[in-house]
Amino acid sequence: MASVATVGEAVARVAYTASDVVLSVQPALGQDSEFSPALHTLASTQSPGVIAKEPEVLAIRHNVDPLLSAFGPLRSGKAVSVATSSSILLSSIPHLYKLAQYPIVIHVALHPYGFPDYSEITSIRQCGFIFLHSETLREGQDIALTAHSLALKSGKGVIHFFDPANSNHDNPIPVEERALIREILGGNASRELQAASANESYLYVDEGRQARISNDGLTSQDRSQGPLSASTEVPLVENTQTGEGEQSSIGSSARQSSADSRPTISSATSIDSTTSRPINSEDIYKIAAGIWSQLRSATGRSYHAFEYSGPEDADAALFVFGSTGVFVDAILAAQPSDEFAKCGIITARLYRPWLGVTLSESIPQSIRRIAVLEQIRKKTVKWGPVLMDILTSLRTGPSSTSAPLIVGHQLGHIEPATARQALRGIFQNLKSPSPIQNLEVGSNQKPRALLNDYSLEQPKVESAYMKILDQVFGNRLYIANRLDAANTGISAAISSSPEFGFGSLLARMEHRKRFINEVQEAAASCDFVTDAPRAWLLKWALSAEDPQKVNNLASEVISRLQTDGSKLASQLLASHKLFFQESQWLIGSDAWSYDLGNSGVHHVIASGANVNMLIIDSQPWSERAAADAARRKKDIGLYAMNFGNAYVASVAVYSSYTQVLEAMIEADQFDGPSVVVAYLPYNKEDDSALTVLQETKKAVDLGYWPLYRWNPTNEDRGEANFSLDSERIKQELEEFLKRDNHLTQLMNRHPTFSANLANSYGTEVRSLQKRRAKDAYDKMLESLYGAPLTILFASDNGNAESLAKRLGNRGKARGLKTMVMAMDDYPVEDLSGEDNVVMITSTAGQGEFPQNGRSFWEVIKANAEIDLSSIRYTVFALGDSHYWPRKEDKIYYNKPGKDLDARIAFLGGKRLIDIGLGDDQDPDNYQTGYNEWEPKLWQALNVDKVEGVPEEPPPITNEDIKIESNFLRGTIAEGLEDTSTGAIAASDQQLTKFHGTYMQDDRDLRDERKAQGLEPAYAFMIRCRLNGGVATPSQWLQMDAISSSFGNETMKMTTRQTFQFHGVIKSKLKSAMRGINKALMTTIAACGDVNRNVMCSTLPTKSAYHRDVHQVSCKISDHLLPATTAYHEIWIKDDNDKQTQVAGNALVDSEPLYGPTYLPRKFKITIAIPPHNDTDVYAHDIGLIAIKGSDGRLEGFNVLAGGGMGVTHNMKKTYPRTGSMFGYMSADKVHLVCEKIMLVQRDNGDRKNRKHARLKYTIDDMGVEVFKGKVEDLLGFKFEDPKPFEFISNIDTFGWQKDELGMNHHTFFIENGRIEDTADFPMKTGLREIAKVHKGEFRLTGNQHLCLSGVHDDDLENIKAMMKEYKLDNVHFSGLRLSSSACVAFPTCGLAMAESERYLPELITKLESCLEENGLRQDSIVMRMTGCPNGCARPWLAEVAFVGKAYGTYNMYLGGGYHGQRLNKLYRSSIQEEEILDIMKNLLKKYSLEREEGERFGDWTIRAGYVKPTLEGKTFHDDVAEVESDEE
């Protein structure tokens, strides 16, 4: 049988089982409490409860007013419990008085751990709660259950408190018995609570709610909306002592606590009725006694309000209000001669209400002396509260004359070894003629061995803002409440609070004023050794209030004082930091957002002091307060702006790093209070940067967290006070700006404004959109005749949508009234009113619904009340039977369609025909199954024999779009002018690729924007054309500016040696394109079915040779450039801001090389310079291997043709291919060779099937020699035999290198090519500053890195210093990381199936400890990752590659050639991180042990038998290590 070993676990399990909602209060979301591990384990395994089928566990940080979260579920009639440490109790007092009248249970673990302070219990003893105390592990379980039953049956709040360290050595006990819990709670507990739901809306005002009890002994609640239904009847029994033979729970302890002889606060005010009255202390005692009677009957364990343990004839006893374990053990081990051998121990199980009568009844008459031990360290009165309770109970009334002597003691920490000595001292004092009251027993200092209590530490993710502050202000930065600050006599918890920090800042300001006076006096003094300090001090004193001047002078002043060496100089240097005008900051959290009037925000702003506040809000958008509107989290920024005297900024480092810098600098410059509210959403303090980034993007994009800056002094300069730095703004802030009244109070805001406003509004918009779309369809169909047919689709890649629309058109042609809609656009409530319904869905991820069908499916799946018995339906599903090859994963094949078919049938729907299954493995893909399914549908609808059905026009293909585009014009210009949408037409999306831009949308935001009723977050990716990857410093600066002004503030260096910008919205697209052209660069033919950017090795060691080769790359690129003038007409303007028409008024453009339809597919050319294959020369349509002549200059090229990387998962007709050797060609003719190869491809490539249209398939279909012959025919001469060459690697060489001319070159490691600024690494800023002084070139590499080329020796030290300043000089990474690369993937790539760029660095980090262990840290292993199989990062040539298959799921490939010369092969299919790490760690360990001298990882995996070598592209899918399961 399962057991529990700690009291925290035992209590947590009971709380979970006996609650609907459990609030798990933790010191930090990434740091567990005593309760949280058990709670989260139960929640994650979806364990059922007794009250709720699946209780909800909410993790809440201790400093965000956690008890606020209890009101919402309590008022909705849910059983709520809280599991917390005692640290929240005092700050929660305002809530406790109100919560006491609700049936809530608060389980409190007393802290500090091992040395708890019970004063936090006595301080709140009058708040109206019932207090129960447990000591042992077994008691903890039983009293926790008692607490829940008592709360339900009394209607009052119960606090159950215990010392978690007291039961550390108890033996494990069995887990709770569900049947016992059900019996003790009563069978109808949950229903009674739901009947008691209330509509109160105030948090801090007492609404008069009281727990009541009926005259027949049943409890009820007096509520504003009516009385609570009666709760379970409880037998009201009298107190009974443990009978002889009964098992007592006290056993090895009498470990309990105490409570008030007066009636509880709940009886203070009430309106009596003939049927009920306020519940009083006696009622509570009787209910508790009844619960304990049930427990005794069921388990034999007995509990009482006060419990006595010890001899019945004892004359002395200890009343312990604290941790009793150490005393119990010492008394049990006492010798007969010990003074305390026959003493008893009294504890209070029911501390409040305190019933003095039961106390006197519990104590044997023989007791003449009682030592009261109170473990209370925060003494506010002379006499302890428990001592006063006992005196009131035993020394007043009729029995006072015979009452025992009562002596109070203060209990400190007692080690087990000194327990006997402590007891001896207690009893000596107790029995002395004049005992000392309040004698201290034990130490009042917590021993070092117990200093493991919750420690304050800055959450890891929050370091981003701290690092930015440090970068911006350096030595000037002063954080008043920093965690590591030294404050003598002040605890870290207090000194790190913003309130304490504000006080210390005010004191520091006063100190500086005094310091200025001291400096002024010193400047007039003659006590310096030299005269130099006086002059500098005088200058400084005159400028003391001017931050810029004083900071410039400070270093000189300090230097002069250090040189002087006089006593006066030493005195001034003792406060040398005050010579600087500090940038003074307080760091706070969103905990301040819950009670702004009492928070540090109010104090700072109201003071008008020149103090900067950085307030970090960590609440994720996805878990915002919409589910808990009663918490009423306020908007700190709006609150501060209402004052009108503060600088306010709302920032998010993971959205706009630049804006954060601007806000912090402006806050520092503002003379007055500044509030910078910084967004950093996380669920746990160790969340990855990717998680934080995704949450930030959602919040900023949807207006939940607008980025803005507000400076009330701007209007004095004629500037706007408010500057919006994000696209959207939430409604409250917009209303404030419209109102523009600084003095409006926050309370005048609409009370329901909160983060949940946007959600509810968006939901309503979405619902309205669905309704209008459906009504419009219905209206249109009214005029038609024939049977209705509703066609609903769910589609990710467009196939299901195309089928649905085509089916709709065919239905209309047969006389049916067809309506075609996406499932999520259809109002589900109308489904039962349809006649005939067809549902077509593709399959996403691991058997998931496509994005535009998920909401529809969730409603259908969750609602069993929908009656679909009147509809006829059928389903067609699209999938791939081999996509998930393992047997256990076969369920994913067409899972959405199968699930939908089964669910509709379950809800009563009648099948028109059986489900149709489209399989991409069939000869015609999904069309094979569809062509069998559709005729059956027409037959079922009796329209299969309709005559005169018109012929369907063929579907529009890319070839049609190109030929109708008028040489790539289309309607692009018109689409750019359309401001009603952020998108452009589908046909134009194909054409803009030729212009160097793709339309994308942010996939991180798709679901949220859809929920808000918004179109996707459309934006454009722009790719430059950069011949050979070489840019000038001025071009670099222009690219940097474009990324900041028009993009997402980052630049991407691609695997094809060019710049790429993301996040450019449509309205900024033209401006960005023009900016690129101003830098003498272009984007034409950077994408599309044309020859794209021509690549060239960087070769930093041979500059003259590189120049020769680079010139050839430029010549090829220019020679193959499209001739259309459409690019200039659409994007470029002349000096008069008019569109430039290069072709004048010519009506027809021309393309002498490409023709009107251009190429069948994209065409790529690269040049590699041996011995480094750093451009992957084998992977491209044309690969040119440079051959050096005897003079060391370029002679010619070996020509490869037919390389290509694109693949489709599980479609064996698609495969990667390495280029075939055609032969050698001289340098002066190679541009013609490239042209002729391209022309043969233009005329012979497959234009019907784009998956088969690349040059690699044309060459394989024709044969290498046939294709080569056609090229030679066009050339008029033949290829020569290839020249010898050798490659030794395909990675970059990092660090500094010198070329033959004495110039210096440095290759930076730019992980996955992303140029951006972060708090840890200001890379973008550093490269910008270097570009301002650099006189050479920037060379982009094919591995996404950057070579700073052509640095003269005279400039070398300056460049090195700048690199060090911006951390750009670090190339000391693991060989695996240096050899890695990844494509962009999520969130912008529409083809991505999994993460890549954002995930690969994390994966490598998790492998680096294994590399260290096996001595492989410096070994280069080429690892690549892509989000889909299209191969942008050329994964098929890597030694180990991971190719995305679904979110978080990858195919793993091994065996690629280290030189990029050999394709890899599938090793494992559809694996996730845990399996990836296991496999890689095993492989790396074996490789380190088994490899031969110089053997590369890819070669070893083949020799060791993990995979077989791939000798050519056509055998890529053969002999894979993991065979498809249906072939096993």
Side-chain angles (χ1 to χ4, degrees), residues 1368-1387:
L1368 287 163
D1369 56 348
N1370 185 12
V1371 293
H1372 301 295
F1373 300 97
S1374 67
L1376 180 65
R1377 192 177 295 275
L1378 292 172
S1379 307
S1380 67
S1381 63
C1383 69
V1384 175
F1386 283 102

Side-chain angles (χ1 to χ4, degrees), residues 608-639:
N610 188 11
V611 173
N612 305 309
M613 287 181 288
L614 175 67
I615 300 170
I616 299 175
D617 191 313
S618 58
Q619 184 180 62
W621 154 254
S622 59
E623 296 187 10
R624 59 203 179 280
D628 188 8
R631 286 180 65 83
R632 302 232 180 101
K633 184 175 180 178
K634 285 93 174 176
D635 186 324
I636 292 178
L638 185 54
Y639 182 81

Side-chain angles (χ1 to χ4, degrees), residues 19-41:
S19 305
D20 290 297
V21 177
V22 184
L23 305 181
S24 175
V25 181
Q26 299 171 209
L29 297 180
Q31 188 175 357
D32 283 323
S33 66
E34 285 84 2
F35 311 96
S36 57
L39 288 172
H40 296 317
T41 298

Side-chain angles (χ1 to χ4, degrees), residues 571-772:
Q571 289 173 353
L572 293 173
L573 285 172
S575 302
H576 68 277
K577 286 190 176 181
L578 295 179
F579 280 111
F580 293 92
Q581 178 70 50
E582 295 173 328
S583 181
Q584 297 176 329
W585 290 81
L586 291 172
I587 310 300
S589 74
D590 54 346
W592 275 346
S593 302
Y594 298 100
D595 190 7
L596 287 174
N598 292 321
S599 75
V601 175
H602 175 85
H603 301 322
V604 172
I605 298 174
S607 75
N610 188 11
V611 173
N612 305 309
M613 287 181 288
L614 175 67
I615 300 170
I616 299 175
D617 191 313
S618 58
Q619 184 180 62
W621 154 254
S622 59
E623 296 187 10
R624 59 203 179 280
D628 188 8
R631 286 180 65 83
R632 302 232 180 101
K633 184 175 180 178
K634 285 93 174 176
D635 186 324
I636 292 178
L638 185 54
Y639 182 81
M641 282 192 287
N642 271 290
F643 270 83
N645 70 333
Y647 173 90
V648 183
S650 174
V651 303
V653 68
Y654 282 90
S655 179
S656 177
Y657 179 86
T658 304
Q659 192 241 3
V660 176
L661 294 178
E662 291 174 344
M664 288 181 172
I665 292 170
E666 290 174 359
D668 178 62
Q669 293 171 346
F670 184 79
D671 185 14
S674 298
V675 179
V676 178
V677 193
Y679 195 50
L680 199 75
Y682 56 86
N683 293 292
K684 288 192 174 182
E685 285 78 358
D686 57 355
D687 273 356
S688 70
L690 173 57
T691 302
V692 179
L693 170 68
Q694 290 173 321
E695 287 290 341
T696 301
K697 287 172 65 177
K698 291 175 188 175
V700 173
D701 178 78
L702 295 167
Y704 170 77
W705 193 269
L707 306 183
Y708 63 82
R709 286 165 291 142
W710 164 273
N711 189 335
T713 63
N714 277 359
E715 60 187 355
D716 299 336
R717 300 189 295 271
E719 300 174 5
N721 287 355
F722 186 83
S723 174
L724 180 65
D725 299 316
S726 59
E727 294 296 323
R728 300 194 68 211
I729 187 169
K730 57 183 173 181
Q731 187 172 337
E732 307 99 299
L733 191 54
E734 189 170 26
E735 291 200 355
F736 169 82
L737 295 171
K738 288 177 181 177
R739 191 168 65 239
D740 201 20
N741 180 355
H742 305 331
L743 300 179
T744 302
Q745 296 299 310
L746 185 65
M747 67 181 66
N748 290 335
R749 294 168 58 211
H750 194 288
T752 58
F753 277 1
S754 65
N756 63 340
L757 176 67
N759 182 61
S760 60
Y761 176 70
T763 304
E764 292 172 8
V765 169
R766 186 75 181 134
S767 177
L768 185 61
Q769 288 173 338
K770 291 181 183 182
R771 171 55 52 209
R772 286 181 175 173

